[in-house]
Amino acid sequence: MTNKIALVLALLIIAFFIADYVLFGGGTPVFLGKKIIGLSEYIAFWR
């Protein structure tokens, strides 16, 4: 991954969090975090 691609990805992620906070009050990262934890527990079950 080049530095340019990494910078663009970082800016997109930061823009996502800012837009989520401004438009929806910032609840999406918590929701996604809970879903990712559930997915990791599901995957650990099959290990």
Side-chain angles (χ1 to χ4, degrees):
M1 179 181 304
T2 65
N3 288 339
K4 186 176 180 179
I5 294 172
L7 180 62
V8 169
L9 286 175
L11 290 175
L12 285 173
I13 292 170
I14 291 170
F16 167 75
F17 284 114
I18 290 172
D20 175 57
Y21 181 75
V22 171
L23 298 175
F24 304 115
T28 304
V30 175
F31 172 75
L32 291 176
K34 289 179 181 179
K35 291 296 182 181
I36 290 172
I37 289 172
L39 177 64
S40 68
E41 290 175 357
Y42 178 74
I43 291 171
F45 172 77
W46 291 105
R47 182 177 170 207

